[in-house]
Amino acid sequence: MKLLTLAEPLLEFGTGTHICPRTGIEHMGVYDKRDELRRTELRIGVVGRGEGVDLLDEWLAQCRNGIERKKESQLLNLFRGFGGINQSYGFLTRLINSPQYTRILQKSEITGVVKLASRAQRVERAVELYYEQIRFLAENRSVDVIVCVIPNEMFDSVTSSKGDEDGESEIETNFRRILKAKCMHLGVPLQLVREKTILITKQAGEQQDPATRAWNFCTALYYKGNRTIPWRLVEDTAKLRSCYIGIGFYKSRDGETISSSLAQVFDEFGHGIILRGTPVSIDKKNRHPYLNEDQAYELLRDALDEYDRALQHMPARIVIHKSSHFRDSERKGFLRALDEKGIRSKDFVAITGTDIRLFGDGDYPPKRGTMLAISETEGVLYTRGTVDFYKTYPGAYVPKPLRVTVYEQDSSLESLCEEILGLTKMNWNNTQMDGRLPITLECARKIGDIMKYVSPTEKPQVSYSFYM
């Protein structure tokens, strides 16, 4: 066994590098500032009731001007103030919203939704209300992203089955997922917010302070509206040009045992391509879904074809992340696709949970980046833990490490864990630098949540911005 602590991966921004997304954006600007096609103005469409639209107007004004950090905390790097979003600082863009880009929901319509007998009915009607206004903006206004402000009472009514006359349905019904899937063909990403989360002051029960909420909100808007990236991992020029693929599984809405697979393909710059797989089999012993050899071959072949279309070359190396162990049929199918495409360097990595726990010095958990190598092909990695830059452990619960198991291996276990640690920082929905899962698997999970609502005959969007 070998115990070591991996260095925090560096991120690249407009004029330099740093380990922290917030610090990097604040002092060096977004990475894509050098891109001539980058938008310096983002037009924000808005759908909500009158009170919600007013709250969003106030929140956007505050985001433009900046929000002070959490005053009572001494953790300056964790609770960093938000300096604002404008064309001369940080994000180097401005947010534009106006009555022309706004659609108001009537109070009577919202009341009508809340009064419906079952949650399934409430969700269906709420989705229709928002969809009609979103469709108008997407088809008649030049908007880059649409913010849907959800009234508190409507949110409660579509997320709770309390008071249902018919009880809970066996068919999964989720307002956010249905709305995003239904609007996908319109081609404009959505950002959903609850009215109470855009109040300037922190509310009871809210975990994030206003400055942190502004960081996450504006970063997500920037990524969704610009279709470019605010930061990227620093490229290691000594390594082969790599393509990272995350494979996950999701159940159909009726919860039947037949599941579908999906893949998310990333290049080292953080760009992604989303694919939908085919129905798969279920292991009768442990109930885990898996790919047969032909399905594995076709999924990876299609992923590499899309990669080639997007970047006009094949990667020199493939890394496949999977949230369950690799079966022999899957390995054979993947290897067949790689051999056909002439790709020699590969690493197949299973990233799962583990009951193994390590203890840190003193009162804090082990440091993020702590790695225990059990063998050359198996180890334990803490992607969440004490962060020296924050001078604390920023989580609310005892961190759970990941078990990393390598099946096909051309790289060292340490190198693969370094990559996983770096890919946990590539989620543009969160500016705290200690995500638990690499973006390959985090994205695969979120895609599955939405994809189950997308019709099999509909071509899904290929950008992660439509699923986050």
Side-chain angles (χ1 to χ4, degrees):
M1 288 191 179
K2 179 181 177 183
L3 183 67
L4 64 158
T5 302
L6 305 177
E8 188 65 57
L10 275 173
L11 301 174
E12 186 173 356
F13 299 91
T15 58
T17 63
H18 201 278
I19 62 172
C20 173
R22 298 173 197 168
T23 305
I25 290 175
E26 186 173 37
H27 293 293
M28 290 164 266
V30 286
Y31 167 74
D32 57 350
K33 64 182 289 185
R34 64 197 80 182
D35 187 344
E36 294 180 356
L37 299 178
R38 185 185 73 92
R39 297 169 185 167
T40 57
E41 296 181 342
L42 295 180
R43 290 173 170 80
I44 310 299
V46 180
V47 179
R49 67 175 180 176
E51 293 89 337
V53 171
D54 290 344
L55 282 174
L56 183 65
D57 286 342
E58 295 172 11
W59 173 246
L60 289 175
Q62 196 76 11
C63 288
R64 293 184 185 102
N65 296 328
I67 298 174
E68 292 184 356
R69 72 174 184 87
K70 189 177 179 180
K71 290 183 179 179
E72 63 270 23
S73 175
Q74 301 301 311
L75 303 172
L76 302 184
N77 289 331
L78 178 58
F79 297 106
R80 177 175 291 275
F82 181 69
I85 181 166
N86 55 61
Q87 289 178 319
S88 59
Y89 165 88
F91 290 96
L92 305 172
T93 193
R94 69 181 183 125
L95 304 178
I96 302 174
N97 65 308
S98 77
Q100 284 184 302
Y101 304 149
T102 302
R103 301 292 289 179
I104 303 294
L105 299 177
Q106 301 302 313
K107 287 185 178 180
S108 59
E109 295 175 322
I110 295 168
T111 302
V113 169
V114 174
K115 287 183 176 180
L116 289 171
S118 73
R119 187 170 71 88
Q121 291 175 319
R122 296 192 292 271
V123 169
E124 182 180 3
R125 182 63 187 133
V127 167
E128 287 299 327
L129 274 181
Y130 277 87
Y131 174 75
E132 286 305 315
Q133 305 307 328
I134 292 167
R135 184 167 65 86
F136 177 87
L137 290 173
E139 293 177 350
N140 298 283
R141 299 289 185 268
S142 179
V143 292
D144 300 308
V145 61
I146 296 174
V147 178
C148 299
V149 186
I150 315 299
N152 299 325
E153 62 270 31
M154 177 183 278
F155 179 86
D156 292 339
S157 76
V158 298
T159 55
S160 171
S161 57
K162 185 178 180 180
D164 275 11
E165 294 178 357
D166 301 326
E168 192 65 27
S169 171
E170 294 181 1
I171 303 294
E172 180 188 293
T173 304
N174 183 289
F175 169 74
R176 175 185 174 275
R177 297 171 185 175
I178 295 176
L179 184 63
K180 291 211 169 193
K182 188 176 179 67
C183 295
M184 192 171 290
H185 73 100
L186 298 172
V188 181
L190 304 182
Q191 178 80 3
L192 275 60
V193 297
R194 296 166 62 183
E195 288 180 353
K196 73 181 207 177
T197 64
I198 51 175
L199 291 169
I200 303 303
T201 56
K202 182 179 177 181
Q203 302 298 299
E206 289 290 325
Q207 294 182 342
Q208 292 182 341
D209 60 291
T212 299
R213 294 205 309 269
W215 270 112
N216 293 338
F217 176 78
C218 290
T219 301
L221 276 189
Y222 183 86
Y223 173 68
K224 290 178 179 182
N226 229 319
R227 314 290 176 91
T228 53
I229 53 175
W231 66 80
R232 73 162 197 174
L233 284 168
V234 172
E235 183 180 5
D236 185 349
T237 54
K239 290 176 61 175
L240 295 174
R241 181 65 61 89
S242 300
C243 166
Y244 303 95
I245 298 176
I247 296 179
F249 302 95
Y250 62 92
K251 288 184 178 180
S252 56
R253 290 182 60 194
D254 58 12
E256 291 294 323
T257 53
I258 301 228
S259 304
S260 292
S261 60
L262 56 91
Q264 169 69 41
V265 183
F266 281 85
D267 61 24
E268 67 274 19
F269 302 108
H271 300 114
I273 301 167
I274 287 162
L275 297 174
R276 173 165 51 187
T278 55
V280 299
S281 302
I282 302 294
D283 189 304
K284 293 180 179 179
K285 293 182 180 179
N286 58 23
R287 308 300 297 166
H288 289 166
Y290 66 92
L291 300 160
N292 63 37
E293 182 178 339
D294 287 340
Q295 289 171 329
Y297 162 75
E298 290 168 4
L299 190 64
L300 184 52
R301 178 201 62 194
D302 292 347
L304 292 172
D305 285 344
E306 288 292 340
Y307 184 98
D308 189 31
R309 281 192 202 97
L311 301 180
Q312 298 184 330
H313 65 78
M314 276 291 165
R317 170 175 172 256
I318 287 290
V319 182
I320 299 180
H321 289 161
K322 193 164 170 281
S323 56
S324 58
H325 296 291
F326 285 75
R327 295 173 66 102
D328 287 341
S329 62
E330 294 171 326
R331 295 165 69 180
K332 288 178 182 177
F334 293 145
L335 289 171
R336 177 149 59 101
L338 293 178
D339 184 61
E340 183 180 285
K341 299 294 184 182
I343 299 173
R344 296 180 180 177
S345 184
K346 74 278 182 187
D347 293 286
F348 297 172
V349 186
I351 301 173
T352 58
T354 177
D355 292 329
I356 297 175
R357 297 290 185 273
L358 304 177
F359 293 91
D361 295 331
D363 297 330
Y364 288 111
K367 289 183 180 181
R368 168 176 152 88
T370 298
M371 172 191 161
L372 174 66
I374 299 171
S375 68
E376 290 185 357
T377 60
E378 188 167 10
V380 173
L381 174 65
Y382 273 83
T383 53
R384 301 218 70 206
T386 301
V387 178
D388 286 342
F389 183 69
Y390 290 152
K391 298 181 180 178
T392 190
Y393 166 56
Y397 305 99
V398 176
K400 297 179 180 179
L402 303 174
R403 191 180 199 99
V404 179
T405 308
V406 191
Y407 287 82
E408 297 287 337
Q409 185 174 15
D410 285 325
S411 306
S412 69
L413 180 65
E414 182 177 340
S415 174
L416 292 171
C417 286
E418 287 174 346
E419 289 182 333
I420 291 170
L421 198 65
L423 289 169
T424 64
K425 303 176 77 163
M426 297 299 283
N427 185 353
W428 301 284
N429 212 23
N430 181 17
T431 55
Q432 190 167 298
M433 65 180 192
D434 65 336
R436 182 169 187 265
L437 290 175
I439 188 60
T440 42
L441 294 185
E442 179 69 20
C443 183
R445 182 180 63 82
K446 289 188 175 181
I447 292 164
D449 289 343
I450 307 296
M451 198 76 78
K452 67 178 70 178
Y453 293 95
V454 179
S455 167
T457 60
E458 181 180 345
K459 183 175 174 59
Q461 292 284 347
V462 298
S463 171
Y464 179 41
S465 61
F466 288 87
Y467 302 84
M468 61 185 274

